Amino acid sequence: MDEVLATILRRDPEQREFHQAVGELLATIRPVLDRHPEYRRHAVVERLVEPERMIMFRVPWMDDQGAIHVNRGYRVEMNSAIGPYKGGLRFHPSVNLSIIKFLAFEQVFKNSLTTLAMGGAKGGADFDPKGRSDAEIMRFCQAFMAELFRHIGEDTDVPAGDIGVGAREIGYLFGMYKKLQNKFTGVLTGKGLAWGGSLIRPEATGYGVVYFTAAMLAHRGETLAGKRCLVSGSGNVAQFVAEKIVQMGGTVLSLSDSSGHIYDEEGIDASKLEFIKTLKNIHRGRIGEYSERYPHALYVAANPTLGWNPLWRYPADCALPAATQNELNLADAQHLAAAGVRLVCEGANMPSTPEAIAFFRDQGILFGPAKAANAGGVAVSGLEMAQDAMRISWSREEVEGRLRAIMHTIHRTCLEAAAAYGLEGDYLAGANIAGFVKVADAMLDQGLV
Ligand code: NDP
Ligand code: 2IT
């Protein structure tokens, strides 16, 4: 396995995020490879770290002033052993091949954990949607789909949202796909309810994270009731993490965006959350406006030169990072422990650095890893695909019930997979092992392809 890491470092020396994601998986599956020599014999890991296909393309578009811009689009189809490629699209200026590959790699194992038949992929563009008009967003989405459409399909590759891609973008992308293919199919998930979407898909990732958190607590005889929670981000995942915590009787103390964070000692309740949803999803404003509306709340501007995030210093019981990768480092982890936090559950993909994770594990802080904890979003995407295929739609209760059941199954699967290797209570190892074994076995069954 050291050889596998050496190979990917040599091949793509600049892909730091991808190396990090692979390194984290490999560190925990060694006992599986020792017990199952067939995986080594069939070079399963070597095959898993090389995408089945990578597509990179030019995205030319025109802004409202008539100026022409050229962005770079990506779709990395990582693995299709257990189902069609599946995973989100990210529009953010930081997007590059390393970030898309790390996300696609994580997606393979996450999708495996959902119990549904989905392979792993991720895509996106280095496009910055901030400050762009609706018309500009529409033209960008159309230009992006003008190339992507030839690579995707309801039985081939089914994209969805991620950072910077929500309901609005999925609508424009879907409209363009339908026009180009002259086909109305479930080629994207996260669609509107009137055109093939599923109830609960917008809520699914955040709700799922909180169901997973509650399951970790329940396993220790505790509940979320009365727990003080620090949440980062204020986008799709963070909003519904916060909503479900409040519904389950916890208190949400914070939210953030890339400009800074808010801290509300009295708790961000359901009506304050409605204000945030309107602010973020309709006015596309900044989180700082919360403390103008609720002057008792603190707003602290982001200060990247600090090297740590003051959001993780408030006294609390639980922390749920839900913004982006590597947003929580060793210093933050130490601050969380000092502030009394006993549980960290990841809403974002790879939000904790390897040093932060090692520290949590050393300290006995309960740690819910992203590929298990945030799998509810893609799980409900899988349910959306099933509903599209049957041309029916399930009720809110039906979908939320299935989501809750899937999250409980993932929680149990993690514990069982860890216990099978003598790693009782290690959710990180359990998620990696269970996610890996299912994909690896499917690859063995299907031969060298
Ligand atoms: P959104 O675009 O809705 O929200 C992203 C949030 O994170 C915003 O508050 C944004 O602030 C903040 N953020 C993004 N990039 C940075 C950055 N570089 N530094 C600081 N803050 C940042 O995305 P989602 O809520 O959908 O995604 C959040 C995380 O959850 C991502 O890691 C994503 O991969 C993951 N995820 C999403 C799923 C989904 O179904 N949507 C499913 C599973 C995981 P700002 O507006 O200022 O940029
Ligand atoms: O990271 C993720 O799991 C997502 N962005 C959701 C993917 C999906 O296909 O719903």
Side-chain angles (χ1 to χ4, degrees):
M1 275 193 303
D2 295 339
E3 265 171 51
V4 171
L5 267 180
T7 303
I8 65 169
L9 280 162
R10 194 177 57 243
R11 263 198 186 138
D12 300 297
E14 73 296 346
Q15 293 182 355
R16 279 191 12 254
E17 293 83 1
F18 179 59
H19 303 155
Q20 182 183 335
V22 173
E24 185 202 283
L25 184 97
L26 294 189
T28 49
I29 61 165
R30 201 177 286 264
V32 185
L33 300 183
D34 291 343
R35 196 181 289 178
H36 294 277
E38 65 274 22
Y39 295 146
R40 282 209 175 91
R41 217 166 40 245
H42 291 271
V44 166
V45 176
E46 288 83 341
R47 287 149 68 194
L48 272 168
V49 299
E50 186 63 16
E52 291 180 8
R53 193 178 293 111
M54 289 185 272
I55 301 146
M56 291 172 62
F57 50 98
R58 179 174 72 196
V59 188
W61 58 283
M62 194 179 277
D63 70 21
D64 289 346
Q65 283 70 46
I68 290 171
H69 301 261
V70 179
N71 284 98
R72 185 171 288 175
Y74 302 84
R75 187 71 179 168
V76 171
E77 297 178 335
M78 190 59 97
N79 192 291
S80 60
I82 63 168
Y85 304 110
K86 181 84 195 86
L89 298 170
R90 177 178 291 191
F91 292 167
H92 193 272
S94 64
V95 161
N96 58 34
L97 191 55
S98 173
I99 289 181
I100 299 299
K101 277 178 71 179
F102 116 65
L103 290 163
F105 186 76
E106 292 284 289
Q107 200 81 45
V108 172
F109 307 101
K110 180 197 306 195
N111 293 3
S112 163
L113 287 169
T114 63
T115 72
L116 305 173
M118 298 180 288
K122 203 82 183 195
D126 59 354
F127 167 71
D128 189 356
K130 275 202 196 73
R132 291 292 172 194
S133 69
D134 270 357
E136 289 174 322
I137 298 286
M138 181 180 76
R139 286 197 297 277
F140 181 81
C141 289
Q142 292 177 339
F144 184 83
M145 189 52 89
E147 174 58 34
L148 186 69
F149 84 100
R150 67 186 88 251
H151 307 289
I152 62 177
E154 75 274 27
D155 295 323
T156 309
D157 184 353
V158 184
D162 193 79
I163 290 177
V165 177
R168 173 181 61 168
E169 291 74 19
I170 293 293
Y172 295 144
L173 290 164
F174 182 80
M176 191 64 178
Y177 180 86
K178 178 166 59 75
K179 185 181 178 76
L180 290 169
Q181 292 287 32
N182 193 27
K183 272 206 293 194
F184 193 114
T185 66
V187 67
L188 293 161
T189 59
K191 299 186 293 301
L193 289 179
W195 40 281
S198 174
L199 287 161
I200 300 292
R201 177 60 189 91
E203 295 88 343
T205 309
Y207 280 16
V209 171
V210 180
Y211 289 139
F212 195 88
T213 303
M216 290 198 293
L217 288 169
H219 191 63
R220 276 147 192 83
E222 292 183 54
T223 69
L224 258 172
K227 295 276 190 306
R228 298 160 303 162
C229 302
L230 298 173
V231 181
S232 66
S234 52
N236 173 265
V237 180
Q239 289 171 20
F240 291 104
V241 161
E243 183 165 289
K244 188 51 80 178
I245 290 172
V246 171
Q247 285 175 13
M248 294 183 83
T251 303
V252 177
L253 296 174
S254 69
L255 287 168
S256 68
D257 60 22
S258 55
S259 308
H261 74 261
I262 51 152
Y263 173 74
D264 185 340
E265 203 176 16
E266 295 170 13
I268 301 168
D269 62 17
S271 81
K272 293 171 179 170
L273 263 178
E274 282 314 307
F275 170 82
I276 287 171
K277 285 187 191 168
T278 307
L279 171 71
K280 282 288 168 185
N281 309 346
I282 295 169
H283 304 310
R284 302 193 185 266
R286 308 309 296 159
I287 198 69
E289 293 171 45
Y290 182 91
S291 62
E292 291 161 25
R293 171 69 182 76
Y294 302 102
H296 68 276
L298 207 60
Y299 172 66
V300 181
N303 177 4
T305 60
L306 271 183
W308 45 273
N309 185 347
L311 160 53
W312 305 123
R313 295 202 77 159
Y314 301 104
D317 306 298
C318 306
L320 298 99
T324 193
Q325 66 275 356
N326 291 326
E327 58 168 307
L328 200 165
N329 63 22
L330 176 60
D332 296 318
Q334 289 165 336
H335 292 152
L336 283 174
V341 166
R342 304 305 305 154
L343 179 150
V344 176
C345 192
E346 295 187 322
N349 284 308
M350 207 168 77
S352 315
T353 64
E355 298 76 23
I357 295 174
F359 178 81
F360 294 142
R361 281 151 58 101
D362 275 359
Q363 299 290 308
I365 290 175
L366 269 180
F367 178 70
K371 57 172 85 63
N374 75 25
V378 73
V380 173
S381 279
L383 300 180
E384 182 172 331
M385 290 165 70
Q387 293 169 81
D388 288 348
M390 293 186 285
R391 298 198 190 285
I392 59 169
S393 43
W394 291 327
S395 68
R396 183 169 287 274
E397 292 69 32
E398 170 85 24
V399 182
E400 198 174 346
R402 284 177 186 260
L403 169 64
R404 196 182 301 111
I406 288 172
M407 297 314 298
H408 281 112
T409 301
I410 296 175
H411 175 264
R412 195 182 60 243
T413 302
C414 290
L415 288 179
E416 287 171 359
Y421 288 89
L423 299 163
E424 274 70 15
D426 186 339
Y427 290 102
L428 179 65
N432 287 343
I433 291 170
F436 169 80
V437 165
K438 181 173 169 189
V439 176
D441 288 345
M443 288 171 73
L444 292 189
D445 290 344
Q446 293 171 28
L448 193 53
V449 289

